Amino acid sequence: MRYSLQAGGKRLRPVLVLAAAELFDAEQRVDPIPAAVAVECIHTYSLIHDDLPCMDNDDLRRGRPTCHRAFDEPTALLAGDALLTHAFFLLCDAYAAQPSLAVALCRELAAAAGSRHLIGGQMLDLLGERSAVVTDAMLRQIHAGKTAAMIRASLVLGGLIGGAPPPALAGLRDGGACLGLAFQIMDDILDATGDAATLGKTPGKDAKAGKATFVSLHGLEASRRMAEEQSTAASRAFRSLPGDTTFLLGLVHYLTTRTH
Ligand code: GRG
C-alpha cells in the first residue's frame, strides 16, 4: 500500500479536494486532508488493479515497477483492496463528529468509485476491447466513468467539506465532468506522443493493443481541439463559483497544456 501510494504521481485528485474546499471555507473549519487522502487511496487502488496481468498487464507506474512486479500478484490485489477499504474508513473516522457530512462524502465517493462510474467505465473499456467498433459516444461513456467521475467527485467532496450550497455543488459537478474529459483526452495525446521517462508509465500501450483512444479515433489535431473545448467548458463552470477561483482556473490551464 505504501509502495504505490508514496510512489508519487501528480496528486491531482487530492489537490482538487483542497482547492474546492478552500473556495467555500478559506479558514478550513473542517479539515479537508482526510478526504483528499481518501480520494488518492481509491485512485491508487484503481491504478494497482488496472496494472495487474488480468487487466492492462503493465510493468511501469509512477516511474517504478508496478505493484505486482515489485511484490507479487496476490500482494498487489490485496494492497488495492485494502486502499479501497481504507478510503471509507478514513472518511467515517475523520468526519465522525459531523455524521451528515461523513455520509454525504461516503455516498459521493462510493458512487464515483462503483459500478456506475469507475468500475463500470473499466468494464465498458474491457468490452470495447472485444468489440469491432468503438464510437466517440462509447469512448466518452468509458472515460466519463473511468476518469471523469473521480475528478468530479474530488471537487464535490471539497465543496461538501467547505459547505458549498447546492447550486455551487452543481457547478463543481459540471466543471469536474468537463475537466475529467479534457484530462483523459490529454492523457491519450501524451500516450501517443510521450516517452516512458517523462510519463513514468509505458506509453503507446493502448494503440499497440488496438484499443480505441481519442487520438486513434479522431487524430492528434482534432483531439487537441476537443481537449481545449472541454477545458473551456470547465473554466466557464468554475468561473460561476463564488470565492477566488484563480488557482482552479490555473489548474485547468496546466492540465490541458501539461507534458506528463
Ligand atoms: C476492481 C479489478 C478491479 C479493477 C479496477 C477501476 C479500475 C480497475 C481501473 C480504472 C483505473 C484507470 C487506469 C483509470 C484511468 C484514469 C487515469 C487517466 C489515470 C491516471 O491518472 P493520473 O495521470 O495518475 O492522475 P497519477 O499517477 O499522476 O496519479
Side-chain angles (χ1 to χ4, degrees):
M1 290 165 75
R2 286 199 193 92
Y3 173 83
S4 292
L5 201 58
Q6 294 176 349
K10 292 178 285 298
R11 306 298 195 215
L12 166 64
R13 294 149 194 84
V15 166
L16 290 173
V17 175
L18 304 185
E22 212 177 72
L23 278 184
F24 303 95
D25 178 18
E27 287 154 35
Q28 297 206 342
R29 279 174 292 243
V30 180
D31 185 6
I33 294 283
V37 176
V39 164
E40 187 67 11
C41 284
I42 301 257
H43 171 59
T44 304
Y45 123 75
S46 80
L47 299 180
I48 294 174
H49 281 193
D50 192 52
D51 290 334
L52 285 171
C54 64
M55 295 269 167
D56 266 8
N57 193 19
D58 223 321
D59 296 333
L60 189 66
R61 172 69 68 181
R62 293 178 161 171
R64 294 183 181 196
T66 47
C67 192
H68 66 278
R69 290 271 178 253
F71 299 90
D72 54 41
E73 243 180 275
T75 307
L77 188 72
L78 293 176
D81 290 342
L83 283 168
L84 168 59
T85 312
H86 190 61
F88 292 101
F89 171 77
L90 274 176
L91 292 181
C92 295
D93 192 50
Y95 303 102
Q98 294 120 306
S100 58
L101 175 63
V103 169
L105 296 173
C106 285
R107 185 177 190 274
E108 191 71 32
L109 193 57
S115 60
R116 287 178 186 270
H117 296 286
L118 179 63
I119 294 178
Q122 178 78 355
M123 189 67 228
L124 287 177
D125 200 15
L126 294 178
L127 292 172
E129 279 179 54
R130 295 174 213 155
S131 131
V133 186
V134 174
T135 63
D136 178 66
M138 285 158 78
L139 201 58
R140 282 172 189 257
Q141 199 188 351
I142 289 170
H143 294 300
K146 264 187 83 170
T147 307
M150 284 295 294
I151 287 179
R152 191 181 57 182
S154 303
L155 288 159
V156 175
L157 258 63
L160 287 167
I161 289 168
L169 288 175
L172 288 170
R173 268 184 220 289
D174 291 348
C178 297
L179 178 61
L181 202 54
F183 181 81
Q184 182 60 51
I185 299 169
M186 280 311 295
D187 206 67
D188 285 357
I189 292 172
L190 292 172
D191 191 60
T193 56
D195 59 83
T198 321
L199 298 178
K201 60 182 180 178
T202 321
K205 269 203 79 192
D206 288 352
K208 252 182 240 149
K211 235 165 121 170
T213 68
F214 285 97
V215 174
S216 71
L217 223 59
H218 300 289
L220 267 176
E221 276 323 298
S223 298
R224 284 207 173 92
R225 267 198 311 277
M226 287 163 70
E228 193 59 46
E229 277 162 23
Q230 292 299 325
S231 131
T232 305
S235 300
R236 199 180 309 122
F238 294 150
R239 266 194 213 98
S240 74
L241 298 171
D244 183 358
T245 54
T246 313
F247 178 77
L248 209 48
L249 293 172
L251 196 59
V252 173
H253 178 73
Y254 157 72
L255 289 174
T256 33
T257 49
R258 70 196 170 106
T259 54
H260 62 283

